[in-house]
Amino acid sequence: MSAEPTRPGPVRHHDHGTWLVQFTGRVLVVCPRCGGRALVTPRPGLPAPKYFSALLFLPRRLTCGGCGAVAGWTAGQRGGGLVGAVPGGTEDPFFRRPLWLQTRCAGRVLWAYDEKHVDALAAYVRARHRVRHASPTMSMFARLPAWMKSADRREEVLAGLTTLRTLAGRTAPADRSDAAHERGDRPRHHGSLLFRGGPY
């Protein structure tokens, strides 16, 4: 008698304390000049940060492959320290441009910084069992809104994330989502400071 085929187990998600800041190394935004897709990254030539939290202080460059727009950002200063950007909301933390990856979902706006961020969110939403291995204080997944965590909304949110994944591959102003505009919903600054010992 043949053995019964093995059924795949339930999809599990293990949260080891992923922070939102870990997805700020590459942020897709709406270009301030043409309205197409622009890219925000750390300024070229800087050494890789030792800690991912340093991503909030690194000088940034905004570049648009469509119209050639270029802009720069540097952290503000307070005394002997640099004032870090604050991630969260539908604007990028540096130039305060609307995120390119936005779509209407479940009566709200679903957003992400780039493709890796979309994939991380999809892995969490898709999971039937979620295991937390770290303090929820700064964990991105623990801080997601209830509607994104709801099993009743799972398919709707996954469909929205598929839309974001498609948007990530588009660049023209005409491809811009009707949800991608200014809302002024970035979080309040919490006064994070970095006391410099490095090149930036």
Side-chain angles (χ1 to χ4, degrees):
M1 184 172 65
S2 61
E4 185 178 341
T6 303
R7 294 182 180 178
V11 178
R12 290 180 180 271
H13 181 275
H14 294 270
D15 179 11
H16 293 279
T18 301
W19 289 21
L20 179 59
V21 64
Q22 292 175 248
F23 297 98
T24 61
R26 183 174 181 273
V27 184
L28 304 179
V29 301
V30 175
C31 176
R33 181 190 291 173
C34 73
R37 191 193 74 184
L39 179 63
V40 174
T41 57
R43 192 178 68 203
L46 293 175
K50 187 174 182 182
Y51 304 105
F52 61 75
S53 56
L55 286 168
L56 297 178
F57 302 90
L58 289 178
R60 297 279 167 154
R61 180 172 291 175
L62 180 153
T63 56
C64 178
C67 71
V70 177
W73 175 91
T74 55
Q77 290 186 279
R78 185 182 304 152
L82 297 176
V83 181
V86 182
T90 58
E91 298 176 2
D92 91 272
F94 310 99
F95 296 91
R96 299 178 180 174
R97 293 298 304 155
L99 298 176
W100 181 256
L101 300 185
Q102 297 189 61
T103 189
R104 302 186 191 283
C105 179
R108 284 93 166 176
V109 174
L110 182 64
W111 57 268
Y113 287 147
D114 73 348
E115 301 93 331
K116 288 184 179 179
H117 191 190
V118 172
D119 292 344
L121 292 172
Y124 176 85
V125 172
R126 190 180 298 113
R128 304 285 173 166
H129 298 284
R130 297 160 182 167
V131 183
R132 184 181 297 157
H133 298 280
S135 166
T137 305
M138 295 299 291
S139 168
M140 175 182 75
F141 299 112
R143 296 160 71 92
L144 290 176
W147 64 272
M148 285 186 67
K149 300 179 183 182
S150 169
D152 293 337
R153 297 283 193 186
R154 180 178 286 118
E155 296 307 316
E156 196 171 356
V157 175
L158 287 173
L161 290 168
T162 297
T163 298
L164 295 187
R165 201 69 172 77
T166 301
L167 279 171
R170 296 179 177 171
T171 61
D175 296 325
R176 177 179 176 179
S177 166
D178 69 345
H181 57 79
E182 291 86 351
R183 289 188 183 79
D185 63 350
R186 62 183 178 276
R188 186 168 53 186
H189 203 283
H190 49 63
S192 59
L193 290 176
L194 174 71
F195 290 93
R196 289 181 290 182
Y200 58 89

